Amino acid sequence: MSRGVARAVPLAPAVVLLALFMLGPVVWSFYGSFTNTALTGPTAANPEWIGFDNYIGLIGDPDFPKSLWLTVVFVFASAVVGQNVLGIALAGLLRSAVRPVRSIASTVVVAAWVLPEIVAAFAAYAFFHSEGTLNAMLGGVGITGPDWLYSTPMLAVVLANVWRGTAFSMMVYSAALAEVPPELTEAAQLDGANGLQRLAWVTLPVIRRSISTNLMLTTLQTLSVFTLIYVMTGGGPGTDSSTLPILAYQEAFKFAQVGYGTAIATVMIVVGGIFSVIYIRALRPEVD
Amino acid sequence: MAGPTTAPAPEKTGSQPTAGRRPAVGPMAAPGASVTRVAANLVLLLIAVCFVLPMAWVVFASFDANATLSFGLPDAATTANFAAIMTPELTWLPLWNAFVLSAGSGAITVVVSVLAAYPLSRYRMRFGKYFLYTVLFGTCLPITAIMVPVYALFVQLNLLDSLPGTIFFMAATSLPMAIWMTKNFMDSVPISLEEAAWTEGASAMQALRRVVLPLMRPGIAVVFIFVFVQAWGNFFVPFVLLLSPEKQPAAVSIFAFFGQYGSVAYGQLAAYSLLYAAPVLGLYVLVTRISGSAFALAGAVKGWRGGRQLSGTPPCGGRRAEPAARRASGRRAPACAARRPRRCRPGPRPCGSGPRARRPAR
């Protein structure tokens, strides 16, 4: 027994750090969401227990359901559809491209992903700005583009997130497609299946585990995107692009309602936790 | 399925002649295939142009004396934008702060995760599996979600606006990923070498320092760079936790600069962005050199999750005490032989010892 304890000693620093800075905030989040903690004023130092008031407030607040909906739209459009479909398409195209094109395309796509998030956000801001590159190009062919960041903020941030994050899916699917035995697709081809049929009935079923893993990971990553949206639109105009991270930040720090912001954070933690558990359960046979 | 390599990094797309490998099947396929190939190349180039445009703006605007928000070739290239921002308080101090934050959290993370990975990799521990599950859960937790409670926690602990506090927090948030990566690297170091050290009377920690660490140096470099790059690019955490401008890293000060001058000095904003992004791009190239795969960082990020998922190989939590020989013959070798015969090299490291241990692919 003592040997077992001695062997576990090197784990101690990791356990302490994780308990203090990861578990601590999660536990505090659940607790804090039941208080009226504020950023300043009397309730900042001595928060009171107010039960479910924050959550009741959330349901009554028109901003919250809207924000929840925007988050669903953002995650679904940019991660589940955008990054995954474009990622798998890129991975497939890369396999049949000649070498220089392949390296150019993959380098460019990966570069958008490697850039620090704030720089990527500035680049996307400039691209979608009313005087930005996109409208300049549209103007070149005689179209007067709208002010994307104001008239269609969600479209702009969704496209920006696809631009920023597709590299990840592309790399995962490149690896997955490399594992598909060529005999399978060749056999299907001999049987007269066209490209789309081969994709639907041979390739996708073979890489389905990669697809589910990648869907889960991109969902979790996109759920926590803050900087890109904050820099591009600030959650606006109004609250038209305030996803949950933006809303939590604004409630806690702009409107100084830390308790209320914490309740939103708790909702996010629970949603993220559910996804994580699904993901880990899917991995389980292989982790055990 | 895939071998147990930790990275699904598609070296296949990078270095193997994939395109020429598959012969066209049947007489009907040849013309169709070539048309498809041309179309694929064109579509790829089109996508590449779309992807490069926003980034190209940053590069071109930084050298443009009259930069606008729209991409365009500068009338006259100038370095005035760079000269204008290279002042101590605007650039050098924030970059130094960013370096302190990133290097500090990188160093802490590496030390702590090496210590944690050793028992997880080498001993069969009853709770090892649960620890790894918890860590796996931690990697999934959206950090953005906990920033409001973290702020409240930092107020309670009186750590707000403290550089060390922020460093430790950033180290903690990168720990779950780093522990998994480090454990995977450590798993690939054969235990037989340590057994030799043990019989000579070395303690576990001595064996770790003298035998294991030197063999997994590339892996440690990758983990450090991974944490460093993440911390360097992190905006939200220092934005919330560091309040005084003289402590804020470049990510935050660049945002403040954008708020103050962003609407007028696009060229300077772009120059600052480029200066700030350059180290990350350099480090990414370095990782690809170390690990030999262009997609290494993704492999590192992804590896333990996607790779494992693909591989169908148990990660062997707490099963480290097995003889290295069995691991080598049972897990590593066949996968290597089947998939990457050219990459296997004789040496102390089993050939499947992970993508980071391989030589750069041409």
Side-chain angles (χ1 to χ4, degrees), chain A residues 10 96-98 102 117 122 129 133 163 171-172 175 179 209-210 213 217 224 226 249 265 276 279 283 286 288, chain B residues 8 13 25 37 41 51 69-71 115 133 140 144-145 235-236 239 258 298 302 305 308-310 314-315 339:
Chain A
S96 47
V98 294
R102 190 163 62 211
E117 55 182 343
F122 285 143
H129 194 273
T133 309
W163 168 71
M171 292 184 282
V172 172
E179 305 298 339
R209 308 255 355 226
S210 303
T213 311
L217 292 177
S224 61
F226 172 85
Y249 172 81
S276 309
Y279 169 63
L283 267 181
E286 294 166 26
D288 272 339
Chain B
T13 59
V25 183
R37 189 152 301 165
N41 283 308
F51 268 73
L69 277 171
S70 149
F71 169 77
L115 285 175
Y133 269 126
C140 295
T144 327
F235 166 75
F236 196 35
F239 183 58
F258 169 69
K302 206 35 224 145
R305 305 202 264 209
R308 170 140 311 125
Q309 185 78 348
L310 289 168
R339 289 211 310 147

Side-chain angles (χ1 to χ4, degrees), chain A residues 109-133:
Chain A
V109 173
V110 170
W113 180 72
V114 175
L115 276 185
E117 55 182 343
I118 190 107
V119 175
F122 285 143
Y125 170 84
F127 186 76
F128 287 107
H129 194 273
S130 60
E131 294 161 14
T133 309

Side-chain angles (χ1 to χ4, degrees), chain B residues 87-103:
Chain B
T87 60
E89 67 274 20
L90 197 57
T91 305
W92 301 126
L93 184 63
L95 283 178
W96 169 249
N97 287 339
F99 177 79
V100 170
L101 272 180
S102 314

Side-chain angles (χ1 to χ4, degrees), chain A residues 162-176:
Chain A
V162 171
W163 168 71
R164 167 122 175 98
T166 297
F168 189 80
S169 303
M170 180 188 82
M171 292 184 282
V172 172
Y173 289 134
S174 289

